[in-house]
Amino acid sequence: MSEFHSIGLIGRHESDSAVQSLKRLKTFLEKGGYQVVLDNETAASFVADGVRVTSKEKLGELCDLVIVVGGDGSLLAAARALAKFSVPLLGINRGRLGFLTDISPDEIETKVGEVLAGKYMAESRFLLDMSVSREGKPIGKGSALNDVVIHPGEYIRMIEFDLFIDGQFVYTQRSDGLIISTPTGSTAYALSGGGPIMHPKLDAIVVVPLNPHTLSSRPIVVEGSSEFKIIIGDENVALPHVTCDGHEQFITQPGDVIRIHKKPHRLTLVHPIKHNFYETCRSKLNWQVK
């Protein structure tokens, strides 16, 4: 008997291919006797008579498993909303790269069926919490499964800031910005910025400067429990922006303080039984094989 009974579905409602996969998945699950629950946005994309509809956050309370149909961006959004509920996520790739959504659309019945039968791998990932304060008062907060990025926004100008890790001063930097990334995000924007690939099981965070004015400023890998404080410099022409997974955005001012640390709630990702991180890197990053 399956450990999963109520299954939530989240999909890219603006994508015709994702909607097709959602319909196929819904039919498969209902035939198997599972209760299907859709979030509001997903339900708006196709007629789903008799299916329970709720908010994305509520899925975490109602479901034993949530299946995300879309690209990595769709799974990142689901992770930010659902991590605090400890509901596992399974991804079906209807995006481009698909590092996190690793079941192909033509394998839905086979691979999802195996997961429901208990043949799967569970992987724990941590997220980051970010907050911005001004004159000691909070003005914004967000969370990220991939990364928190500080950048100049719409202007092509260097920005200046002070970086502290665990209360210790690291440097004053002038650059195009800074990426603070989890192991999950190390194969995303941080990789494009010259950061290292980190295995998902690592309890570590990488700090990647974006085009630093001092060329000796290189990526730094620190403990996952590290706490970061970034103080926006007084001499900035551009007002630095802060984004979480490229989604939530806050515009800072000189003197603002950004704090980043590990989120207390972890995310459980579900993979097919033969999932292999290195094979994923080979296929997605076009690594050479014999």
Side-chain angles (χ1 to χ4, degrees), residues 150 157-161 171-179 192-195 207-220:
I150 301 159
R157 289 189 180 264
M158 282 193 168
I159 55 178
E160 184 176 289
F161 51 85
Y171 49 50
T172 297
Q173 185 178 102
R174 295 188 71 245
S175 66
D176 288 346
L178 192 71
I179 304 170
S192 299
V207 181
V208 182
L210 287 172
N211 302 319
H213 188 259
T214 302
L215 298 181
S216 60
S217 181
R218 311 303 301 164
I220 304 172

Side-chain angles (χ1 to χ4, degrees), residues 106-127:
D106 58 352
E107 297 178 312
I108 285 178
E109 290 82 1
T110 302
K111 295 298 183 183
V112 173
E114 290 177 359
V115 169
L116 297 176
K119 300 177 182 178
Y120 65 87
M121 299 170 58
E123 195 172 57
S124 179
R125 306 282 183 101
F126 70 84
L127 293 84

Side-chain angles (χ1 to χ4, degrees), residues 16 69 173 195 286:
D16 291 339
V69 181
Q173 185 178 102
N286 297 315

Side-chain angles (χ1 to χ4, degrees), residues 25-136:
L25 184 56
K26 172 182 170 292
T27 299
F28 172 71
L29 293 172
E30 289 178 334
K31 285 182 178 179
Y34 298 94
Q35 180 186 13
V36 177
V37 186
L38 302 180
D39 82 306
N40 294 319
E41 292 184 1
T42 303
S45 61
F46 66 95
V47 177
D49 294 332
V51 175
R52 185 169 183 176
V53 178
T54 187
S55 66
K56 186 178 294 183
E57 289 76 12
K58 198 71 175 177
L59 290 180
E61 299 178 7
L62 298 174
C63 299
D64 308 309
L65 174 71
V66 171
I67 302 177
V68 181
V69 181
D72 286 347
S74 299
L75 196 138
L76 290 172
R80 291 192 300 271
L82 298 173
K84 63 182 177 181
F85 298 104
S86 300
V87 60
L89 299 187
L90 174 67
I92 294 174
N93 187 26
R94 272 301 189 177
R96 291 186 290 273
L97 197 56
F99 254 98
L100 301 173
T101 51
D102 47 16
I103 293 179
S104 63
D106 58 352
E107 297 178 312
I108 285 178
E109 290 82 1
T110 302
K111 295 298 183 183
V112 173
E114 290 177 359
V115 169
L116 297 176
K119 300 177 182 178
Y120 65 87
M121 299 170 58
E123 195 172 57
S124 179
R125 306 282 183 101
F126 70 84
L127 293 84
L128 298 174
D129 272 336
M130 184 280 303
S131 65
V132 183
S133 61
R134 181 171 300 156
E135 297 180 351

Side-chain angles (χ1 to χ4, degrees), residues 132-263:
V132 183
S133 61
R134 181 171 300 156
E135 297 180 351
K137 298 179 180 180
I139 62 168
K141 62 181 180 178
S143 60
L145 177 59
N146 267 357
D147 48 47
V148 177
V149 180
I150 301 159
H151 60 95
E154 59 187 277
Y155 298 100
I156 305 176
R157 289 189 180 264
M158 282 193 168
I159 55 178
E160 184 176 289
F161 51 85
D162 294 337
L163 172 65
F164 296 80
I165 300 177
D166 291 331
Q168 297 182 347
F169 177 66
V170 180
Y171 49 50
T172 297
Q173 185 178 102
R174 295 188 71 245
S175 66
D176 288 346
L178 192 71
I179 304 170
I180 297 182
S181 171
T182 67
T184 301
S186 71
T187 51
Y189 191 27
L191 182 62
S192 299
I197 294 175
M198 298 193 293
H199 193 281
K201 291 183 179 180
L202 282 176
D203 185 12
I205 297 172
V206 64
V207 181
V208 182
L210 287 172
N211 302 319
H213 188 259
T214 302
L215 298 181
S216 60
S217 181
R218 311 303 301 164
I220 304 172
V221 179
V222 299
E223 284 186 295
S225 60
S226 300
E227 297 192 359
F228 302 83
K229 181 173 74 172
I230 298 153
I231 302 176
I232 303 302
D234 294 329
E235 304 300 323
N236 288 302
V237 176
L239 296 178
H241 291 43
V242 187
T243 59
C244 297
D245 287 343
H247 178 66
E248 297 158 307
Q249 179 165 284
F250 304 92
I251 301 175
T252 67
Q253 294 181 6
D256 284 358
V257 177
I258 302 163
R259 298 182 187 275
I260 301 165
H261 57 83
K262 184 191 292 185
K263 196 177 187 71

